[in-house]
Amino acid sequence: MTRLRIDSLTHTYPRSERPALANVSLEVQPGELLCLVGPSGCGKTTLLKIISGLLAPSEGGLFFDGHEVTRVPPEQRRAVMVFQSHLLFPFMSVIENVGFGLRMRGVERERWIEAAQTMLDRVHLSAYAGRRPTSLSGGQQQRVALARALVAEPQLLLLDEPLSSLDRHLREDMRQVIIELQRATRVTTVCVTHDQEEAVLLGDRIAMLSAGELVQVGRAEEFYERPVSVHVARFFGNHNQLEGERCGSLIRSEVGELVIAPESTPGQSATWPSDGPACLHIRPEAIELMSPHADSDNTLRGRVVHRVYVGTHVRYAVDVAGQPWQVVAGPHTKRFDEGEQVGLRLPPERIWLTRE
Amino acid sequence: MVLGVPAGRGLASLTPGPRAALELLFFAPVIVPALAVALGLHIVFIRAGLADTIFGVVIAHLLPTLPYMVLVMTSTFANSDNELEYQARTLGAGPVRAFLIVGLPTAVPGVLTGALFVFLISWSQYALTLLIGGGRVLTLPLLLFAFASAGDLAVTAALGLVFLAPAVVILTLTARFLTGRSVALAGVAGK
């Protein structure tokens, strides 16, 4: 198990003005699976290439268990990358592919064959050992690539969009295989994905990159409930937004006054704008729907425009003084019909603020 | 092959600007008339003791053939990205090993195409062989020419057929086994 420390890493590609990575610092705990997310072009694959050693950073350092590896060539780092396109060697059999890492380390033939066979067993592909990789399906190839990466007991496992080339139903199987193998081997893993759902389902922790900068690191809950910016909030699901003016623990807006609770999230509320213009945010599932006549605090009035029942929950579109609001309610809560007046209660502790 | 493959690999890794300039340099021997080069080369080879030897002829043949080999190899390597080699490197192979074990095998169709192509060029060299070989190193074109000028039509016709044979065989081979698998020919055609 290796601890990975990335120390103020900056990388600018030749002939590019904007850095692909700007001052990224990050620590991955031994045995942890960290998901790097962000929209395409945010620099996440660049970061993965730098960790693997295929790319030398312009500035900054990289440490495996405290040892600097910034200038160590990839073949000596034992940080194995699994590329999106599997990249199995087409002129070798499946078992030769899996044993490649051990062969490169000069392990004897019987030993690498045995180790490769065991690893193929674990991804349920031992029957295909003698086949050519091209005769395998996409999902099988991906599992071979994973087995090939893990057989040499790497210090770090680097996954580049491991699921995006697979069909939807295969994706779930593969995700399970990755999680199981990672848990069993406890190899420190960094996984790149552009899909927030994948990141939430796979990662012990998530790190989000945007335009080359690290914007937030934490557990999935923090990304949903305590996003540091509107950008992060949008990337992780829907949210409602209301412009107003902050006055202590009160937000004054066109639709009324609302109470906020900065003391419930001391860490996050430190970044909130102080008195003056502010933007209020709340997740659709945080809002409580109730009858418009109910006497409750922090409640906006609106009219149901649209309602969809989707089994696990009910989705409402509500018109609040001309603004469309989204509300998600549990399947067993009181139903409101389209056109009906409703009250929207905004629990203070679920509200967060941003500048714009 | 020994010279063309590394040269092509090197060229393919360059950015388009310098690459075009270097490719032109590699093609320079083809632009100069063969006879002019051969005459100059002859003098040098006589001094070096290479004239009238098979080795001398082989070296002289590199002159018109190497540029084509380099061209084919450049397009082969330029069309295949190096990702497979990157993969090999993260799995613990050094840069040279990664190229030999992984990069080269994927370039086999291109190497074959280049080799066949270059064989045909060498096969049909007349002036270079005659001058550098001094008539002592005999190749088929030399024989063919001798018989044709002697007016022996039957032998000339027979030799003509033999002369044609490799071209037909190679064309068939490339068409059957390399199409679809090799992008090198398409790369050459596109230049």
Side-chain angles (χ1 to χ4, degrees):
Chain A
M1 291 204 287
T2 306
R3 177 191 306 274
L4 166 69
R5 187 158 68 83
I6 298 166
D7 190 21
S8 40
L9 213 62
T10 297
H11 187 73
T12 313
Y13 283 108
R15 269 188 281 273
S16 161
E17 283 164 22
R18 217 173 45 82
L21 285 176
N23 205 17
V24 171
S25 293
L26 182 65
E27 238 187 78
V28 187
Q29 303 305 320
E32 186 180 37
L33 200 169
L34 180 99
C35 271
L36 268 179
V37 286
S40 52
C42 68
K44 51 195 192 303
T45 300
T46 303
L47 183 55
L48 208 62
K49 279 190 176 163
I50 290 176
I51 300 174
S52 73
L54 294 174
L55 200 65
S58 321
E59 277 168 60
L62 205 62
F63 301 84
F64 291 0
D65 273 339
H67 301 289
E68 168 140 30
V69 293
T70 321
R71 305 286 156 197
V72 173
E75 62 271 18
Q76 287 163 27
R77 285 194 193 184
R78 297 181 60 192
V80 181
M81 181 114 151
V82 176
F83 289 84
Q84 184 175 0
S85 43
H86 325 318
L87 294 181
L88 299 177
F89 306 127
F91 38 82
M92 294 179 197
S93 66
V94 166
I95 189 135
E96 283 172 325
N97 261 286
V98 175
F100 189 87
L102 291 174
R103 274 157 68 205
M104 289 302 109
R105 297 224 309 261
V107 172
E108 293 158 43
R109 191 181 162 78
E110 289 99 62
R111 280 204 36 228
W112 71 251
I113 287 192
E114 197 190 307
Q117 195 62 256
T118 316
M119 196 45 86
L120 272 180
D121 264 340
R122 293 177 81 164
V123 294
H124 317 293
L125 284 175
S126 42
Y128 297 86
R131 294 252 222 127
R132 295 272 142 177
T134 39
S135 67
L136 268 53
S137 73
Q140 290 169 331
Q141 289 190 25
Q142 185 73 320
R143 278 188 279 160
V144 173
L146 193 66
R148 178 177 64 178
L150 285 171
V151 80
E153 290 164 9
Q155 293 209 57
L156 279 180
L157 178 64
L158 308 169
L159 306 170
D160 187 10
E161 302 273 5
L163 307 176
S164 63
S165 63
L166 303 177
D167 292 338
R168 215 183 157 70
H169 64 282
L170 277 176
R171 225 175 271 181
E172 223 150 289
D173 292 346
M174 190 65 205
R175 187 160 55 220
Q176 219 46 49
V177 170
I178 292 175
I179 291 175
E180 273 169 29
L181 278 177
Q182 203 271 338
R183 295 264 153 83
T185 56
R186 297 311 294 167
V187 57
T188 310
T189 305
V190 179
C191 172
V192 155
T193 170
H194 64 274
D195 183 350
Q196 47 85 18
E197 192 190 337
E198 211 170 288
V200 169
L201 291 170
L202 263 181
D204 296 325
R205 274 196 314 153
I206 298 171
M208 185 168 166
L209 279 170
S210 173
E213 282 176 52
L214 196 62
V215 287
Q216 188 169 355
V217 186
R219 286 174 301 112
E221 293 93 312
E222 295 165 37
F223 280 83
Y224 277 104
E225 290 166 27
R226 306 278 171 254
V228 296
S229 70
V230 186
H231 183 68
V232 176
R234 280 213 192 101
F235 199 77
F236 282 81
N238 297 318
H239 70 123
N240 297 296
Q241 201 167 316
L242 179 68
E243 276 169 34
E245 201 153 317
R246 179 174 176 186
C247 190
S249 59
L250 218 59
I251 294 287
R252 294 211 174 91
S253 77
E254 288 178 2
V255 289
E257 283 185 1
L258 290 163
V259 177
I260 55 172
E263 67 284 354
S264 70
T265 58
Q268 193 204 28
S269 55
T271 65
W272 290 0
S274 47
D275 290 2
C279 198
L280 170 154
H281 305 266
I282 188 163
R283 293 278 181 203
E285 59 275 12
I287 298 173
E288 294 160 20
L289 279 189
M290 50 189 53
S291 116
H293 314 297
D295 182 31
S296 66
D297 61 327
N298 250 21
T299 304
L300 302 175
R301 306 258 178 268
R303 189 174 55 83
V304 175
V305 179
H306 191 61
R307 187 186 72 189
V308 196
Y309 171 79
V310 282
T312 52
H313 56 267
V314 187
R315 233 181 265 156
Y316 291 94
V318 182
D319 178 290
V320 179
Q323 294 292 318
W325 280 62
Q326 296 169 320
V327 180
V328 169
H332 305 301
T333 50
K334 176 176 165 15
R335 298 277 166 81
F336 294 93
D337 290 326
E338 289 172 13
E340 207 174 326
Q341 294 290 324
V342 286
L344 291 78
R345 180 171 180 274
L346 278 47
E349 68 282 0
R350 304 292 297 273
I351 295 173
W352 79 92
L353 300 184
T354 60
R355 237 163 265 284
E356 74 248 31
Chain B
M1 242 200 246
V2 172
L3 298 173
V5 173
R9 167 66 185 237
L11 276 178
S13 65
L14 292 175
T15 46
R19 191 164 108 197
L22 268 178
E23 266 175 6
L24 192 69
L25 200 67
F26 270 102
F27 253 81
V30 182
I31 299 165
V32 181
L35 213 57
V37 179
L39 285 173
L41 207 61
H42 197 199
I43 297 169
V44 177
F45 274 21
I46 287 171
R47 284 189 194 141
L50 284 170
D52 303 355
T53 64
I54 289 185
F55 188 60
V57 173
V58 169
I59 292 183
H61 274 209
L62 281 179
L63 222 57
T65 53
L66 192 57
Y68 289 101
M69 189 67 194
V70 172
L71 179 69
V72 173
M73 288 328 296
T74 307
S75 63
T76 303
F77 285 121
N79 283 327
S80 74
D81 47 34
N82 300 335
E83 280 200 320
L84 271 181
E85 281 177 56
Y86 285 157
Q87 177 71 78
R89 301 242 357 230
T90 75
L91 286 165
V96 176
R97 258 216 293 193
F99 175 67
L100 290 179
I101 302 181
V102 177
L104 210 51
T106 46
V108 160
V111 175
L112 275 181
T113 315
L116 295 175
F117 201 33
V118 155
F119 170 74
L120 278 187
I121 296 172
S122 168
W123 179 249
S124 51
Q125 280 305 316
Y126 174 73
L128 268 178
T129 323
L130 181 66
L131 279 169
I132 306 294
R136 249 175 263 181
V137 180
L138 277 184
T139 61
L140 204 60
L142 291 191
L143 280 178
L144 187 67
F145 215 79
F147 280 109
S149 47
D152 194 334
L153 285 181
V155 180
T156 311
L159 283 178
L161 281 178
V162 175
F163 192 55
L164 203 64
V168 174
V169 170
I170 286 172
L171 206 68
T172 322
L173 275 181
T174 43
R176 278 201 65 171
F177 296 112
L178 295 178
T179 40
R181 267 204 281 154
S182 164
V183 282
L185 275 179
V188 171
K191 285 209 174 243

